Amino acid sequence: MNLSFQPTGHTFDRGLTTRGRRAGDRYVLWHAGMLLGYALFSRSFAYVGVPPLFVGEIMILVGLAALVRAGRAGPILSQPAAWLMVALVALAAYRTVPYLSEYGVDAIRDFMMIGYAVYAIIVGGIVVACPERLLTLVEKYRVFAVVMVSLVWIVYLISKIAPESVPFLPWTGNARIIEAKGGDIMVHLCAITVFAVLGMMERKPWFMFALAANTAIVVASNRGGMLAYAIGFAIAYAMRPPEARVGRLVYAFVLFAALGVLIGPLAQLQGTSRSISVDQIVLNVTSIFGQGDEGLDGTRKWRLQWWTKIWDGTVHGPYFWTGRGFGINLAVADGFDVIKELRSPHNGHMTVLARMGVPGFVLWLSMLGLWTASIFAAWLRARRAGRHRWMALFAFLTAYMAAIHVNASFDVFLEGPMGGIWFWTVFGLGLAAIRIQITHPDLFTRPEPGVPARQPLSIPFAWHSEPDAAAPQLSLPPFAWPDDPRSERAPGAAQPDAAYSW
């Protein structure tokens, strides 16, 4: 698997300057690096920066500057799902301003669950301005997948088996240098699994077995993450293109399930009664339906009681139109401060209902539903046209979004930058992909054998100087879809778009 970065030729809008193009390209790479940091190091990475400006807020400022120089927000904001997103942000801001004087930074912190929507505009606008950046992000996700599979198990085991040996970040006092949450990791492992199963990267045996090992290590620790993984994978499998295969993945998971039976009792997660074992996975599954052990069932009960109180106080109570606003500690206000530093009800959707009332909740659900419907419509267009690479991309985005929201229904995920920025990035990429599929349907296509190839547009590769006629010309290399059964198709039959190795 070649992980080296190979610059590709770009078909830029003519209105962009060379410096603007570079600004957009660089931001895409920086944003990808930020997402890797959040996925791998969770809250530890979120505290990188100078208080009160941390990496997530700093990158908003950098992204807005890049959007002005190298992006096009119009094609993103012109889509119906984006209209609802803008309305949601406006309502959230309206429910935040009155509480700034009382709650200060806490009000802004709570608002950012919705405020991070600016990332959807930034990322979507920069990608739409140069469609080939979508290819770059797919290539970078391949690197992300390899890095995560290689390192996340180490981070997870350190944070769970020996957390007390990890020092705190000096400027926080409550965040350790290495932290990891099982549910968050399972969301990304689900997406990586889907990415591989859909054929969007080369499925080498070592990678598939390493992916299965990571999943086996983490899956026992979090019921929400386990359910997110299962639902995300099921959706992607239902939407898979014809070339997708799961053979090696199944073999790998069967092997590590067997190993889990043997080594599980030896690996106890620090501070909990959970071990890494198949028995623990069974307990997690049964506890979701109210038949687990006392400890697991206890956490389920207080969450359900809290969600019921939020529902009754909002839908049937005095907070129907306004909610409680952004800033108040919901755990203290509702009498459920059962966990240290808990502010939200371990369910992102209930958080929206509690803070924004029924109008905000309806906007939130409508926005998510319209985005999903738009993605599915784009997937259907790709299916009818036989463009299997587009099918794979839309299946991947749908599965990622599903895993994010299932996990967010059981944990505090969307309320922080670790999950919030990922969510809005996927949201923005979905809007960009819908637009690019219409304007550049052949983005993933290469000429058929025997058909004269169209010469791709090439540009000089020079990061720190203006284009030079003598500079070497680089163009987009041809790609090949792994396991492409093209040779099995009948001569003269309609050919779907050829794909590439990511």
Side-chain angles (χ1 to χ4, degrees), residues 418-484:
M418 299 78 68
I421 294 178
W422 264 101
F423 159 62
W424 289 111
T425 296
V426 174
F427 190 94
L429 282 177
L431 298 180
I434 292 170
R435 175 74 176 187
I436 293 171
Q437 185 201 32
I438 296 173
T439 60
H440 294 73
D442 297 328
L443 181 66
F444 295 154
T445 304
R446 66 170 179 171
E448 299 292 338
V451 178
R454 183 179 61 183
Q455 293 298 323
L457 177 65
S458 60
I459 62 170
F461 178 66
W463 289 105
H464 304 292
S465 62
E466 295 299 322
D468 186 344
Q473 301 293 310
L474 298 180
S475 59
L476 187 66
F479 295 94
W481 179 262
D483 304 323
D484 188 358

Side-chain angles (χ1 to χ4, degrees), residues 57-126:
E57 290 70 37
I58 294 172
M59 285 295 289
I60 288 179
L61 301 177
V62 175
L64 289 174
L67 180 65
V68 170
R69 297 184 63 184
R72 293 176 57 204
I76 300 300
L77 295 176
S78 65
Q79 299 185 51
W83 302 344
L84 297 181
M85 177 187 71
V86 172
L88 183 71
V89 173
L91 181 58
Y94 175 74
R95 296 301 300 143
T96 302
V97 172
Y99 303 99
L100 287 174
S101 58
E102 181 178 357
Y103 297 108
V105 175
D106 284 340
I108 298 175
R109 172 187 174 187
D110 293 337
F111 164 76
M112 289 311 293
M113 173 186 178
I114 307 298
Y116 284 130
V118 69
Y119 275 114
I121 302 174
I122 292 172
V123 175
I126 289 176

Side-chain angles (χ1 to χ4, degrees), residues 116-141:
Y116 284 130
V118 69
Y119 275 114
I121 302 174
I122 292 172
V123 175
I126 289 176
V127 170
V128 162
C130 175
E132 284 80 2
R133 288 178 184 140
L134 185 59
L135 301 181
T136 299
L137 283 174
V138 172
E139 291 176 359
K140 293 304 141 187
Y141 196 85

Side-chain angles (χ1 to χ4, degrees), residues 17-52:
T17 64
T18 302
R19 292 184 182 275
R21 298 168 186 173
R22 294 173 186 164
D25 289 346
R26 288 171 179 172
Y27 181 79
V28 166
L29 298 181
W30 294 341
H31 189 86
M34 177 183 66
L35 293 180
L36 174 60
Y38 281 127
L40 192 57
F41 297 108
S42 188
R43 199 164 65 127
S44 305
F45 183 80
Y47 278 104
V48 172
V50 180

